[in-house]
């Protein structure tokens, strides 16, 4: 019985490490962290950013796996929602950029300028969709 539990724990840890490695490889491959540092002119803090991503993944998994309660109140929930939304939005934009969705779309509609406005409208649409989803859900 103990050997079975030990084997299951080892397999769970191994599979989790493989999935985490794949996600971190995708983050590195999409160059998300260096792009954030480039846009914010904070490239000298790359190690801090990478450490935050790694520790955030580790702590998030621990909280999720062991169903640990996180008592942060309404303000904490709002902060988590904002940060999580920024993270998911950045992933969506990075993936769209990688597959050249935005330039292809801009060429199709003959958009020559105002790319910033296009990105802003996409972000606002995503925000409105998220707010409607959560509003209608509750």
């Amino acid at each position: 019985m103990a050997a079975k539990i030990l084997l299951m724990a080892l397999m769970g840890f191994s599979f989790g490490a493989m999935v985490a490695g794949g996600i971190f490889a995708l983050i590195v491959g999409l160059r998300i962290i260096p792009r954030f540092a480039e846009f914010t002119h904070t490239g000298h803090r790359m190690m801090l950013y990478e450490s935050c991503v790694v520790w955030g993944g580790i702590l998030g998994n621990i909280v999720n796996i062991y169903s640990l309660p996180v008592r942060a109140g309404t303000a904490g929930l709002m902060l988590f929602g904002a940060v999580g939304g920024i993270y998911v939005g950045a992933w969506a934009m990075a993936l769209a950029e990688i597959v050249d969705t935005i330039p292809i779309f801009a060429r199709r509609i003959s958009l020559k300028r105002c790319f910033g406005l296009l990105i802003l409208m996409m972000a606002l649409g995503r925000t409105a969709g998220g707010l409607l989803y959560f509003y209608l859900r509750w």
Side-chain angles (χ1 to χ4, degrees), residues 76-127:
L77 182 62
M78 291 172 64
L79 178 65
F80 179 78
V83 171
I86 290 169
Y87 178 76
V88 170
W91 266 96
M93 293 305 294
L95 289 172
E97 185 179 327
I98 291 299
V99 296
D100 290 331
T101 303
I102 296 170
I104 291 170
F105 177 71
R107 250 194 330 265
R108 296 271 182 195
I109 64 171
S110 300
L111 183 67
K112 303 283 188 225
R113 55 191 176 128
C114 300
F115 279 111
L117 185 61
L118 175 67
I119 300 297
L120 176 65
M121 291 298 123
M122 291 169 69
L124 291 175
R126 181 151 179 87
T127 301

Side-chain angles (χ1 to χ4, degrees), residues 32-50:
I32 291 176
I33 297 172
R35 286 185 186 166
F36 285 152
E38 179 183 332
F39 292 143
T40 59
H41 305 292
T42 56
H44 60 282
R45 298 201 173 145
M46 285 291 289
M47 292 297 289
L48 174 66
Y49 295 152
E50 291 170 355

